[in-house]
Amino acid sequence: MVEIVQRWDRVEGVIIAEHLDPKSVAEFINSTGVIAAMDWYERTPNLIGLTLVAHDRKLATVNDAGEIAASTEFEDFALDVASKFEAEVMVGDVSADALPEDADLESDIELGDSRTTVVELSTTPASSVPLLAALEDIDIALKEINTDWRALIYEMEGDDTPVLVGDYPMVLLARSNGEFKALLAVDDDPETMTMFNWGMSTRTLAGGHTGDTVARIAEELVGARTDLREIAEAIPGADVTAAENSAQLEGTRAVEAFVRALGLPSSIADVLNGRIEITDIPGIEFNDARGIANAIGRSVDKMLTEPESTGSKLWETYHKVAVERPWIVRVAASVEASIGATLIVNAIRGRKRNSTWAKAGAVLGTMMLIDSVAEVSLAKYLGLRAERHAERDANRGR
């Protein structure tokens, strides 16, 4: 049984030592009764990640009656584990350090050169992709998935964290060095992200219980399948059960199964598995990282030819004002430029030119000047485009 609480909050933790045996760590955590999920890489035996749940800053724990209750303090659990394994342990915002002073935590593993292939799934407007490619300085391929969702596909050198170029919420798939992971990001806060990594070993601990109600509840609270379910549920029409079942697969089979569960074309799995290049994906639109001015032009072209892709009344309003009442844009830009120039002059003439406020004023003023020029340029561009379209339509009517 489980104690009925208002909410169980997930808590991340980590154990760091010179060497850790996952089996011994699991046995000890089971002896404490604390509900936990362990995850680790076979190549890093000195580091084990923990996922726990808590209510009112007390960890979910299996008591003598076989019930799950919020009863173990963060500090007590961290101290017990640190003392047992001569380790540094972090649980949420609490830490305990029992590492020997001469502990050697260096890793001899070299991953070598690699590249990361990334697929972002989101409702990012197609019209914004050219500008995103220019701003992030990466080539981005666009693949329409359904009416609202599309895939942004790009590559990064090394195994760096993907830049997350699209709109939130998004589901991200990434593969590097043969390691495949999926991530759900609802905003830019890393603490709210949900991730599953097929390259890691995982084990759910329920105070020694296996195959019973307590073990099932523990899996629901901290298990990796729960993460996979949450990620899959973010994609409309995904086969959530199939996504959960992919947890037991490895390598290319895991990639194929999860991509299929999300309802994506097989070519997405092929590019993640390195079988084809991004440019070989059928039906993609490739956006290379050209200059900002070029990107703005391409994005505006998309907005004009595909207004529904913006998904916003704001653009429709701006377009109407820029074409029908361009003087409003010019006046607003003039005011913005005046304010920007004033901030820059004050920053230069001020007595404390190197102060934080002076520097901030100079930066803000420069940005306002640039933005005012961009506003006028964009409005002029829209006006010229509208004139050309009107002229073309008139010629067709003759």
Side-chain angles (χ1 to χ4, degrees):
M1 296 179 64
V2 61
E3 177 183 326
I4 298 176
V5 298
Q6 290 282 325
R7 171 186 174 133
W8 288 106
D9 295 314
R10 282 203 171 191
V11 179
E12 300 299 324
V14 65
I15 308 172
I16 306 170
E18 281 194 283
H19 181 79
L20 292 168
D21 174 24
K23 183 179 179 181
S24 298
V25 174
E27 289 176 351
F28 179 75
I29 293 178
N30 268 332
S31 72
T32 68
V34 171
I35 298 292
M38 294 170 39
D39 54 68
W40 68 94
Y41 290 107
E42 298 295 341
R43 64 175 182 262
T44 53
N46 64 325
L47 179 67
I48 292 179
L50 297 174
T51 301
L52 312 105
V53 288
H55 176 68
D56 198 20
R57 293 193 61 79
K58 292 184 179 179
L59 298 172
T61 307
V62 182
N63 59 27
D64 294 337
E67 298 173 335
I68 300 176
S71 59
T72 302
E73 300 282 351
F74 285 20
E75 294 85 354
D76 293 341
F77 178 74
L79 286 168
D80 289 345
V81 176
S83 176
K84 174 67 176 179
F85 297 101
E86 294 186 330
E88 180 178 1
V89 179
M90 285 166 275
V91 177
D93 57 356
V94 171
S95 64
D97 190 356
L99 273 172
E101 292 185 2
D102 59 349
D104 181 12
L105 302 178
E106 294 295 325
S107 174
D108 297 328
I109 297 171
E110 294 184 5
L111 297 178
D113 295 332
S114 66
R115 64 180 183 178
T116 301
T117 302
V118 182
V119 178
E120 289 187 16
L121 306 171
S122 70
T123 57
T124 301
S127 58
S128 68
V129 178
L131 191 55
L132 290 173
L135 290 173
E136 299 294 345
D137 195 26
I138 53 175
D139 299 336
I140 301 176
L142 172 66
K143 172 72 174 177
E144 296 289 343
I145 302 302
N146 55 42
T147 305
D148 299 316
W149 285 74
R150 49 195 55 88
L152 307 185
I153 310 160
Y154 57 90
E155 289 184 342
M156 300 177 59
E157 292 299 322
D159 56 356
D160 294 335
T161 302
V163 294
L164 305 181
V165 300
D167 292 346
Y168 299 107
M170 75 168 65
V171 169
L172 180 144
L173 312 178
R175 192 153 198 237
S176 176
N177 280 313
E179 181 179 304
F180 177 50
K181 61 184 176 183
L183 179 148
L184 169 63
V186 296
D187 53 39
D188 60 358
D189 182 2
E191 295 296 325
T192 65
M193 294 180 181
T194 302
M195 188 184 77
F196 183 85
N197 190 326
W198 281 264
M200 301 184 78
S201 299
T202 63
R203 182 174 175 182
T204 301
L205 309 174
H209 289 256
T210 58
D212 59 7
T213 301
V214 172
R216 179 183 59 78
I217 295 173
E219 184 66 35
E220 287 290 325
L221 290 174
V222 298
R225 285 176 176 265
T226 303
D227 293 332
L228 274 177
R229 183 191 314 137
E230 186 176 347
I231 294 171
E233 286 176 343
I235 303 296
D239 186 337
V240 177
T241 301
E244 290 183 70
N245 292 338
S246 71
Q248 59 192 351
L249 302 177
E250 298 178 349
T252 59
R253 292 179 61 205
V255 177
E256 292 166 357
F258 192 67
V259 166
R260 186 167 53 249
L262 296 185
L264 305 177
S266 59
S267 57
I268 298 295
D270 289 338
V271 78
L272 286 168
N273 283 328
R275 293 173 181 154
I276 64 173
E277 296 296 324
I278 292 178
T279 51
D280 295 328
I281 299 175
I284 65 159
E285 178 183 301
F286 199 74
N287 299 273
D288 52 11
R290 286 186 271 181
I292 295 292
N294 186 292
I296 290 175
R298 285 181 291 151
S299 288
V300 171
D301 282 343
K302 275 185 166 294
M303 290 179 184
L304 290 172
T305 57
E306 305 171 27
E308 69 280 358
S309 67
T310 64
S312 173
K313 294 294 183 183
L314 180 61
W315 168 252
E316 296 177 12
T317 302
Y318 179 84
H319 181 276
K320 186 175 183 179
V321 170
V323 172
E324 298 180 5
R325 299 179 182 178
W327 61 270
I328 294 179
V329 176
R330 289 195 294 270
V331 170
S334 298
V335 173
E336 184 178 18
S338 298
I339 296 173
T342 301
L343 288 172
I344 294 174
V345 171
N346 288 340
I348 295 174
R349 292 181 176 178
R351 296 179 180 179
K352 299 180 179 180
R353 298 181 185 179
N354 294 324
S355 70
T356 301
W357 287 110
K359 292 178 180 178
V363 171
L364 180 59
T366 303
M367 291 176 64
M368 292 180 74
L369 277 174
I370 294 173
D371 185 63
S372 65
V373 174
E375 287 284 352
V376 173
S377 299
L378 180 56
K380 184 176 181 180
Y381 180 84
L382 289 175
L384 291 173
R385 286 285 306 212
E387 289 177 8
R388 287 200 298 268
H389 281 208
E391 183 178 351
R392 182 190 62 192
D393 293 340
N395 289 333
R396 285 178 180 176
R398 292 176 181 175

